[in-house]
Amino acid sequence: MIQWVLAATLVCGASVLTACKEAHAQEDNPVQKVTSEELIRTSQSWDGVELPDYLQGRPELVAVKYVFPAGQKLGWHHHPVMNYGVLMQGELTIIGQDGKEKVVHEGEAVVEMVNTIHHGENRGSKPVILYMFYLSQKDLPLAVQHPEIPLE
């Protein structure tokens, strides 16, 4: 009988010890809460120009992931629709046809120019990863390319 009591005490003691350790671990690692951080709120593109009014009709929302290898340039283009994004990795330089530049850093949000010709360059040493979100409509292009304008 004493052996049974001793065994029960050891098992119960081990269970209590385990429960105490788990409770203590929870105190050391409180439950993570959801947080939010507004990255940008604006009615202007990165160059300070007011965005156009919304299109009429049914919207089509488009999300695109772009990867720019180090040293690569995206050709001259313009966007007929509003778009914005978040740079997830690297550093992207956006150049307007007028020569104005915007450097977007990792973690930053950017609102693109609408109906203004520009291009992007990765002048860094690692790939740029950029998520862009377009406020479009069915059958509208997200970008119109301008191959007639040479990149320098």
Side-chain angles (χ1 to χ4, degrees):
M1 177 70 143
I2 293 177
Q3 290 174 339
W4 182 83
V5 171
L6 181 58
T9 303
L10 288 174
V11 169
C12 288
S15 296
V16 168
L17 182 59
T18 300
C20 286
K21 284 182 181 177
E22 288 175 4
H24 187 55
Q26 288 177 356
E27 289 174 8
D28 289 343
N29 298 317
V31 175
Q32 295 293 315
K33 304 233 178 184
V34 173
T35 63
S36 67
E37 176 185 352
E38 188 170 286
L39 298 178
I40 195 165
R41 181 185 294 247
T42 185
S43 58
Q44 299 177 342
S45 57
W46 66 262
D47 62 341
V49 174
E50 290 292 320
L51 293 171
D53 290 336
Y54 279 119
L55 300 169
Q56 296 295 316
R58 182 170 307 281
E60 182 175 69
L61 306 179
V62 183
V64 178
K65 176 183 177 183
Y66 292 96
V67 178
F68 291 69
Q72 289 297 309
K73 297 179 180 182
L74 186 62
W76 292 101
H77 63 280
H78 77 272
H79 302 283
V81 298
M82 289 183 279
N83 65 97
Y84 63 99
V86 177
L87 190 72
M88 303 306 291
Q89 176 181 290
E91 188 175 276
L92 178 66
T93 303
I94 306 170
I95 301 103
Q97 197 173 20
D98 61 0
K100 189 182 250 185
E101 291 188 8
K102 166 75 174 171
V103 178
V104 185
H105 303 276
E106 198 167 294
E108 289 182 343
V110 63
V111 177
E112 275 277 39
M113 305 164 125
V114 179
N115 292 319
T116 300
I117 297 174
H118 62 282
H119 79 278
E121 297 180 3
N122 179 354
R123 296 176 178 169
S125 59
K126 65 180 177 179
V128 161
I129 299 175
L130 175 67
Y131 290 109
M132 293 299 294
F133 306 95
Y134 296 84
L135 306 159
S136 188
Q137 285 183 316
K138 186 173 172 51
D139 299 326
L140 275 180
L142 302 180
V144 175
Q145 300 301 315
H146 293 277
E148 71 279 7
I149 305 171
L151 287 173
E152 298 172 6

